[in-house]
Amino acid sequence: MFSFFKRNPVIKLTKRHSMLLEQAMHAQRRGDIRTYSQLTAEAEELYIKIKSLAST
């Protein structure tokens, strides 16, 4: 009945995903490839989680 009060976890995860990708881009521009790789891997894991939540 009051489903509009429930928060959508996909929105929060999507914002986190885009933030991670932006941080990774800045790390790559600074030349910090190790941090870029870590952030990109974390963003990929988050993307997989987002896809699984969105499909249900």
Side-chain angles (χ1 to χ4, degrees), residues 1-3 5-8 12-13 16 21 25-26 28 30-31 35-36 39 41 46 49 56:
M1 185 166 128
F2 292 102
S3 64
F5 287 125
K6 292 183 182 178
R7 292 199 175 261
N8 189 354
K12 185 177 180 181
L13 291 175
R16 171 96 174 120
L21 289 177
M25 177 194 65
H26 290 299
Q28 185 182 29
R30 285 191 313 264
T35 304
Y36 166 74
L39 290 171
L46 200 57
K49 188 173 182 180
T56 59

PDB file of all heavy atoms in Angstrom, residues 1-3 5-8 12-13 16 21 25-26 28 30-31 35-36 39 41 46 49 56:
ATOM      1  N   MET A   1       0.809  -1.173   0.000  1.00  0.00           N
ATOM      2  CA  MET A   1       0.000   0.000   0.000  1.00  0.00           C
ATOM      3  C   MET A   1       0.871   1.262   0.000  1.00  0.00           C
ATOM      4  O   MET A   1       0.613   2.183  -0.750  1.00  0.00           O
ATOM      5  CB  MET A   1      -0.921  -0.001   1.207  1.00  0.00           C
ATOM      6  CG  MET A   1      -1.891   1.140   1.230  1.00  0.00           C
ATOM      7  SD  MET A   1      -3.162   0.831   2.430  1.00  0.00           S
ATOM      8  CE  MET A   1      -3.089   2.318   3.358  1.00  0.00           C
ATOM      9  N   PHE A   2       1.881   1.285   0.840  1.00  0.00           N
ATOM     10  CA  PHE A   2       2.754   2.439   0.911  1.00  0.00           C
ATOM     11  C   PHE A   2       4.112   2.118   0.306  1.00  0.00           C
ATOM     12  O   PHE A   2       5.158   2.402   0.878  1.00  0.00           O
ATOM     13  CB  PHE A   2       2.929   2.896   2.361  1.00  0.00           C
ATOM     14  CG  PHE A   2       1.668   3.457   2.955  1.00  0.00           C
ATOM     15  CD1 PHE A   2       0.894   2.722   3.817  1.00  0.00           C
ATOM     16  CD2 PHE A   2       1.265   4.736   2.618  1.00  0.00           C
ATOM     17  CE1 PHE A   2      -0.262   3.243   4.344  1.00  0.00           C
ATOM     18  CE2 PHE A   2       0.115   5.273   3.142  1.00  0.00           C
ATOM     19  CZ  PHE A   2      -0.666   4.524   4.015  1.00  0.00           C
ATOM     20  N   SER A   3       4.092   1.552  -0.870  1.00  0.00           N
ATOM     21  CA  SER A   3       5.338   1.151  -1.516  1.00  0.00           C
ATOM     22  C   SER A   3       6.169   2.344  -1.963  1.00  0.00           C
ATOM     23  O   SER A   3       7.359   2.211  -2.199  1.00  0.00           O
ATOM     24  CB  SER A   3       5.055   0.241  -2.704  1.00  0.00           C
ATOM     25  OG  SER A   3       4.324   0.949  -3.679  1.00  0.00           O
ATOM     26  N   PHE A   5       7.108   4.691  -0.175  1.00  0.00           N
ATOM     27  CA  PHE A   5       8.023   5.054   0.904  1.00  0.00           C
ATOM     28  C   PHE A   5       9.298   4.221   0.887  1.00  0.00           C
ATOM     29  O   PHE A   5      10.295   4.599   1.486  1.00  0.00           O
ATOM     30  CB  PHE A   5       7.361   4.906   2.268  1.00  0.00           C
ATOM     31  CG  PHE A   5       6.350   5.966   2.560  1.00  0.00           C
ATOM     32  CD1 PHE A   5       5.058   5.618   2.898  1.00  0.00           C
ATOM     33  CD2 PHE A   5       6.677   7.303   2.496  1.00  0.00           C
ATOM     34  CE1 PHE A   5       4.118   6.594   3.172  1.00  0.00           C
ATOM     35  CE2 PHE A   5       5.746   8.291   2.762  1.00  0.00           C
ATOM     36  CZ  PHE A   5       4.456   7.938   3.101  1.00  0.00           C
ATOM     37  N   LYS A   6       9.258   3.091   0.210  1.00  0.00           N
ATOM     38  CA  LYS A   6      10.427   2.216   0.156  1.00  0.00           C
ATOM     39  C   LYS A   6      11.472   2.822  -0.774  1.00  0.00           C
ATOM     40  O   LYS A   6      11.166   3.314  -1.848  1.00  0.00           O
ATOM     41  CB  LYS A   6      10.035   0.828  -0.363  1.00  0.00           C
ATOM     42  CG  LYS A   6       9.170   0.061   0.584  1.00  0.00           C
ATOM     43  CD  LYS A   6       8.875  -1.314   0.054  1.00  0.00           C
ATOM     44  CE  LYS A   6       7.962  -2.067   0.971  1.00  0.00           C
ATOM     45  NZ  LYS A   6       7.636  -3.397   0.448  1.00  0.00           N
ATOM     46  N   ARG A   7      12.719   2.756  -0.344  1.00  0.00           N
ATOM     47  CA  ARG A   7      13.812   3.267  -1.172  1.00  0.00           C
ATOM     48  C   ARG A   7      14.235   2.200  -2.175  1.00  0.00           C
ATOM     49  O   ARG A   7      14.239   1.017  -1.867  1.00  0.00           O
ATOM     50  CB  ARG A   7      14.995   3.642  -0.314  1.00  0.00           C
ATOM     51  CG  ARG A   7      14.707   4.819   0.560  1.00  0.00           C
ATOM     52  CD  ARG A   7      16.004   5.409   1.024  1.00  0.00           C
ATOM     53  NE  ARG A   7      15.777   6.625   1.769  1.00  0.00           N
ATOM     54  CZ  ARG A   7      15.893   7.838   1.254  1.00  0.00           C
ATOM     55  NH1 ARG A   7      16.251   7.995   0.018  1.00  0.00           N
ATOM     56  NH2 ARG A   7      15.673   8.900   1.995  1.00  0.00           N
ATOM     57  N   ASN A   8      14.605   2.655  -3.339  1.00  0.00           N
ATOM     58  CA  ASN A   8      15.073   1.758  -4.380  1.00  0.00           C
ATOM     59  C   ASN A   8      16.588   1.612  -4.242  1.00  0.00           C
ATOM     60  O   ASN A   8      17.329   2.581  -4.442  1.00  0.00           O
ATOM     61  CB  ASN A   8      14.706   2.332  -5.754  1.00  0.00           C
ATOM     62  CG  ASN A   8      14.955   1.363  -6.857  1.00  0.00           C
ATOM     63  OD1 ASN A   8      15.510   0.292  -6.646  1.00  0.00           O
ATOM     64  ND2 ASN A   8      14.551   1.731  -8.055  1.00  0.00           N
ATOM     65  N   LYS A  12      20.720   4.040  -5.416  1.00  0.00           N
ATOM     66  CA  LYS A  12      21.877   4.316  -4.576  1.00  0.00           C
ATOM     67  C   LYS A  12      23.129   3.642  -5.129  1.00  0.00           C
ATOM     68  O   LYS A  12      24.210   4.236  -5.168  1.00  0.00           O
ATOM     69  CB  LYS A  12      21.601   3.831  -3.153  1.00  0.00           C
ATOM     70  CG  LYS A  12      22.675   4.159  -2.172  1.00  0.00           C
ATOM     71  CD  LYS A  12      22.298   3.712  -0.776  1.00  0.00           C
ATOM     72  CE  LYS A  12      23.397   4.049   0.206  1.00  0.00           C
ATOM     73  NZ  LYS A  12      23.069   3.603   1.562  1.00  0.00           N
ATOM     74  N   LEU A  13      22.995   2.401  -5.584  1.00  0.00           N
ATOM     75  CA  LEU A  13      24.133   1.677  -6.133  1.00  0.00           C
ATOM     76  C   LEU A  13      24.605   2.291  -7.449  1.00  0.00           C
ATOM     77  O   LEU A  13      25.804   2.326  -7.735  1.00  0.00           O
ATOM     78  CB  LEU A  13      23.779   0.201  -6.328  1.00  0.00           C
ATOM     79  CG  LEU A  13      23.576  -0.602  -5.046  1.00  0.00           C
ATOM     80  CD1 LEU A  13      23.104  -2.010  -5.390  1.00  0.00           C
ATOM     81  CD2 LEU A  13      24.832  -0.647  -4.208  1.00  0.00           C
ATOM     82  N   ARG A  16      26.711   5.286  -6.647  1.00  0.00           N
ATOM     83  CA  ARG A  16      28.027   4.836  -6.158  1.00  0.00           C
ATOM     84  C   ARG A  16      28.885   4.364  -7.329  1.00  0.00           C
ATOM     85  O   ARG A  16      30.085   4.642  -7.391  1.00  0.00           O
ATOM     86  CB  ARG A  16      27.840   3.720  -5.135  1.00  0.00           C
ATOM     87  CG  ARG A  16      29.095   3.033  -4.703  1.00  0.00           C
ATOM     88  CD  ARG A  16      29.629   3.613  -3.429  1.00  0.00           C
ATOM     89  NE  ARG A  16      30.754   2.818  -2.974  1.00  0.00           N
ATOM     90  CZ  ARG A  16      31.972   3.312  -2.823  1.00  0.00           C
ATOM     91  NH1 ARG A  16      32.196   4.583  -3.029  1.00  0.00           N
ATOM     92  NH2 ARG A  16      32.951   2.550  -2.434  1.00  0.00           N
ATOM     93  N   LEU A  21      33.546   5.270 -11.008  1.00  0.00           N
ATOM     94  CA  LEU A  21      34.100   5.431 -12.351  1.00  0.00           C
ATOM     95  C   LEU A  21      34.752   6.801 -12.520  1.00  0.00           C
ATOM     96  O   LEU A  21      35.796   6.922 -13.167  1.00  0.00           O
ATOM     97  CB  LEU A  21      33.017   5.218 -13.403  1.00  0.00           C
ATOM     98  CG  LEU A  21      32.541   3.785 -13.579  1.00  0.00           C
ATOM     99  CD1 LEU A  21      31.412   3.737 -14.604  1.00  0.00           C
ATOM    100  CD2 LEU A  21      33.682   2.878 -13.995  1.00  0.00           C
ATOM    101  N   MET A  25      38.673   7.551 -13.308  1.00  0.00           N
ATOM    102  CA  MET A  25      39.120   8.389 -14.409  1.00  0.00           C
ATOM    103  C   MET A  25      40.151   9.408 -13.930  1.00  0.00           C
ATOM    104  O   MET A  25      41.184   9.604 -14.565  1.00  0.00           O
ATOM    105  CB  MET A  25      37.929   9.114 -15.035  1.00  0.00           C
ATOM    106  CG  MET A  25      38.310  10.075 -16.143  1.00  0.00           C
ATOM    107  SD  MET A  25      36.993  11.197 -16.611  1.00  0.00           S
ATOM    108  CE  MET A  25      36.797  12.166 -15.132  1.00  0.00           C
ATOM    109  N   HIS A  26      39.889  10.017 -12.779  1.00  0.00           N
ATOM    110  CA  HIS A  26      40.824  11.003 -12.245  1.00  0.00           C
ATOM    111  C   HIS A  26      42.147  10.344 -11.850  1.00  0.00           C
ATOM    112  O   HIS A  26      43.215  10.929 -12.048  1.00  0.00           O
ATOM    113  CB  HIS A  26      40.220  11.746 -11.064  1.00  0.00           C
ATOM    114  CG  HIS A  26      39.119  12.682 -11.447  1.00  0.00           C
ATOM    115  ND1 HIS A  26      39.309  13.742 -12.300  1.00  0.00           N
ATOM    116  CD2 HIS A  26      37.808  12.708 -11.113  1.00  0.00           C
ATOM    117  CE1 HIS A  26      38.168  14.383 -12.465  1.00  0.00           C
ATOM    118  NE2 HIS A  26      37.236  13.768 -11.762  1.00  0.00           N
ATOM    119  N   GLN A  28      43.434   7.730 -13.267  1.00  0.00           N
ATOM    120  CA  GLN A  28      44.123   7.414 -14.511  1.00  0.00           C
ATOM    121  C   GLN A  28      44.788   8.670 -15.085  1.00  0.00           C
ATOM    122  O   GLN A  28      45.916   8.612 -15.567  1.00  0.00           O
ATOM    123  CB  GLN A  28      43.146   6.832 -15.518  1.00  0.00           C
ATOM    124  CG  GLN A  28      43.806   6.361 -16.792  1.00  0.00           C
ATOM    125  CD  GLN A  28      42.793   5.829 -17.789  1.00  0.00           C
ATOM    126  OE1 GLN A  28      41.646   6.249 -17.808  1.00  0.00           O
ATOM    127  NE2 GLN A  28      43.219   4.898 -18.618  1.00  0.00           N
ATOM    128  N   ARG A  30      45.902  11.159 -13.405  1.00  0.00           N
ATOM    129  CA  ARG A  30      47.055  11.477 -12.565  1.00  0.00           C
ATOM    130  C   ARG A  30      48.214  10.518 -12.807  1.00  0.00           C
ATOM    131  O   ARG A  30      49.330  10.779 -12.372  1.00  0.00           O
ATOM    132  CB  ARG A  30      46.674  11.390 -11.077  1.00  0.00           C
ATOM    133  CG  ARG A  30      45.852  12.518 -10.561  1.00  0.00           C
ATOM    134  CD  ARG A  30      45.761  12.476  -9.041  1.00  0.00           C
ATOM    135  NE  ARG A  30      45.449  11.163  -8.508  1.00  0.00           N
ATOM    136  CZ  ARG A  30      44.239  10.731  -8.166  1.00  0.00           C
ATOM    137  NH1 ARG A  30      43.215  11.523  -8.295  1.00  0.00           N
ATOM    138  NH2 ARG A  30      44.055   9.521  -7.678  1.00  0.00           N
ATOM    139  N   GLY A  31      47.938   9.402 -13.452  1.00  0.00           N
ATOM    140  CA  GLY A  31      48.969   8.416 -13.719  1.00  0.00           C
ATOM    141  C   GLY A  31      49.029   7.321 -12.667  1.00  0.00           C
ATOM    142  O   GLY A  31      49.959   6.515 -12.658  1.00  0.00           O
ATOM    143  N   THR A  35      45.580   2.462  -8.543  1.00  0.00           N
ATOM    144  CA  THR A  35      44.309   2.909  -7.983  1.00  0.00           C
ATOM    145  C   THR A  35      43.212   2.843  -9.037  1.00  0.00           C
ATOM    146  O   THR A  35      42.077   2.454  -8.737  1.00  0.00           O
ATOM    147  CB  THR A  35      44.433   4.350  -7.439  1.00  0.00           C
ATOM    148  OG1 THR A  35      45.489   4.387  -6.485  1.00  0.00           O
ATOM    149  CG2 THR A  35      43.152   4.810  -6.788  1.00  0.00           C
ATOM    150  N   TYR A  36      43.544   3.202 -10.263  1.00  0.00           N
ATOM    151  CA  TYR A  36      42.589   3.114 -11.368  1.00  0.00           C
ATOM    152  C   TYR A  36      42.077   1.683 -11.516  1.00  0.00           C
ATOM    153  O   TYR A  36      40.875   1.450 -11.640  1.00  0.00           O
ATOM    154  CB  TYR A  36      43.243   3.582 -12.666  1.00  0.00           C
ATOM    155  CG  TYR A  36      42.467   3.221 -13.904  1.00  0.00           C
ATOM    156  CD1 TYR A  36      41.302   3.901 -14.240  1.00  0.00           C
ATOM    157  CD2 TYR A  36      42.887   2.183 -14.731  1.00  0.00           C
ATOM    158  CE1 TYR A  36      40.581   3.569 -15.372  1.00  0.00           C
ATOM    159  CE2 TYR A  36      42.178   1.842 -15.860  1.00  0.00           C
ATOM    160  CZ  TYR A  36      41.025   2.530 -16.180  1.00  0.00           C
ATOM    161  OH  TYR A  36      40.308   2.186 -17.296  1.00  0.00           O
ATOM    162  N   LEU A  39      39.756   0.723  -8.486  1.00  0.00           N
ATOM    163  CA  LEU A  39      38.451   1.378  -8.558  1.00  0.00           C
ATOM    164  C   LEU A  39      37.598   0.814  -9.688  1.00  0.00           C
ATOM    165  O   LEU A  39      36.383   0.646  -9.547  1.00  0.00           O
ATOM    166  CB  LEU A  39      38.625   2.887  -8.729  1.00  0.00           C
ATOM    167  CG  LEU A  39      39.177   3.628  -7.520  1.00  0.00           C
ATOM    168  CD1 LEU A  39      39.503   5.066  -7.895  1.00  0.00           C
ATOM    169  CD2 LEU A  39      38.202   3.585  -6.373  1.00  0.00           C
ATOM    170  N   ALA A  41      37.785  -2.250 -10.889  1.00  0.00           N
ATOM    171  CA  ALA A  41      37.341  -3.590 -10.482  1.00  0.00           C
ATOM    172  C   ALA A  41      36.181  -3.502  -9.504  1.00  0.00           C
ATOM    173  O   ALA A  41      35.203  -4.268  -9.608  1.00  0.00           O
ATOM    174  CB  ALA A  41      38.504  -4.343  -9.856  1.00  0.00           C
ATOM    175  N   LEU A  46      30.185  -3.848  -8.604  1.00  0.00           N
ATOM    176  CA  LEU A  46      28.968  -3.124  -8.288  1.00  0.00           C
ATOM    177  C   LEU A  46      27.986  -3.172  -9.457  1.00  0.00           C
ATOM    178  O   LEU A  46      26.778  -3.306  -9.257  1.00  0.00           O
ATOM    179  CB  LEU A  46      29.310  -1.684  -7.929  1.00  0.00           C
ATOM    180  CG  LEU A  46      28.296  -0.890  -7.145  1.00  0.00           C
ATOM    181  CD1 LEU A  46      27.945  -1.580  -5.848  1.00  0.00           C
ATOM    182  CD2 LEU A  46      28.848   0.483  -6.853  1.00  0.00           C
ATOM    183  N   LYS A  49      26.182  -6.405  -9.458  1.00  0.00           N
ATOM    184  CA  LYS A  49      25.164  -6.405  -8.415  1.00  0.00           C
ATOM    185  C   LYS A  49      23.941  -5.602  -8.860  1.00  0.00           C
ATOM    186  O   LYS A  49      22.802  -6.004  -8.621  1.00  0.00           O
ATOM    187  CB  LYS A  49      25.745  -5.834  -7.132  1.00  0.00           C
ATOM    188  CG  LYS A  49      24.860  -5.955  -5.947  1.00  0.00           C
ATOM    189  CD  LYS A  49      25.572  -5.512  -4.681  1.00  0.00           C
ATOM    190  CE  LYS A  49      24.685  -5.687  -3.478  1.00  0.00           C
ATOM    191  NZ  LYS A  49      25.359  -5.270  -2.248  1.00  0.00           N
ATOM    192  N   THR A  56      15.452  -8.509 -11.123  1.00  0.00           N
ATOM    193  CA  THR A  56      14.426  -9.151 -10.287  1.00  0.00           C
ATOM    194  C   THR A  56      13.259  -8.274 -10.039  1.00  0.00           C
ATOM    195  O   THR A  56      13.170  -7.167 -10.317  1.00  0.00           O
ATOM    196  CB  THR A  56      15.014  -9.562  -8.912  1.00  0.00           C
ATOM    197  OG1 THR A  56      15.513  -8.422  -8.249  1.00  0.00           O
ATOM    198  CG2 THR A  56      16.065 -10.615  -9.094  1.00  0.00           C
TER     199      THR A  56
END
